[in-house]
Amino acid sequence: MEGVATSIANDSSTQPRSSRTRVAIIEDFPASREGIVRILESTADFEIVLVAASGTEFLRSAGSCEVDVCLLDLSLPDIDGVELIGRIKEL
């Protein structure tokens, strides 16, 4: 699962703030992850800024973008989803 995390956002310091909701997706199951991406890409209301297959990948990449909402699998293989929520709050 290593190498799946993808930061999609550009440097926020040079980009104007979008009116769309910036979303991070943290899901280890590829079919679910890809389905969520497709659904959110089909609407103009959301901007996917980060996609990760594990909590560790998300935490490594989270500092590179601004996120409004995290869609988080609570049963991740490396970090319990509830624990990850606590760590996200500390960012």
Side-chain angles (χ1 to χ4, degrees):
M1 280 190 265
E2 291 298 317
V4 176
T6 306
S7 179
I8 301 172
N10 293 323
D11 178 11
S12 60
S13 64
T14 61
Q15 298 292 323
R17 168 69 167 102
S18 171
S19 61
R20 301 184 320 168
T21 301
R22 298 168 297 199
V23 179
I25 300 166
I26 307 105
E27 168 61 61
D28 63 312
F29 188 62
S32 296
R33 189 172 56 243
E34 293 164 11
I36 294 167
V37 167
R38 274 190 243 124
I39 289 167
L40 293 179
E41 285 179 337
S42 71
T43 177
D45 296 327
F46 300 102
E47 175 185 2
I48 301 169
V49 295
L50 180 64
V51 178
S54 71
T56 303
E57 289 182 19
F58 171 78
L59 291 170
R60 273 192 229 134
S61 302
S64 66
C65 58
E66 293 183 32
V67 176
D68 298 315
V69 174
C70 289
L71 295 178
L72 169 63
D73 180 353
L74 293 177
S75 300
L76 293 167
D78 60 341
I79 300 174
D80 176 73
V82 176
E83 178 186 341
L84 182 57
I85 290 169
R87 292 174 73 177
I88 290 170
K89 286 175 146 181
E90 294 172 1
L91 295 177

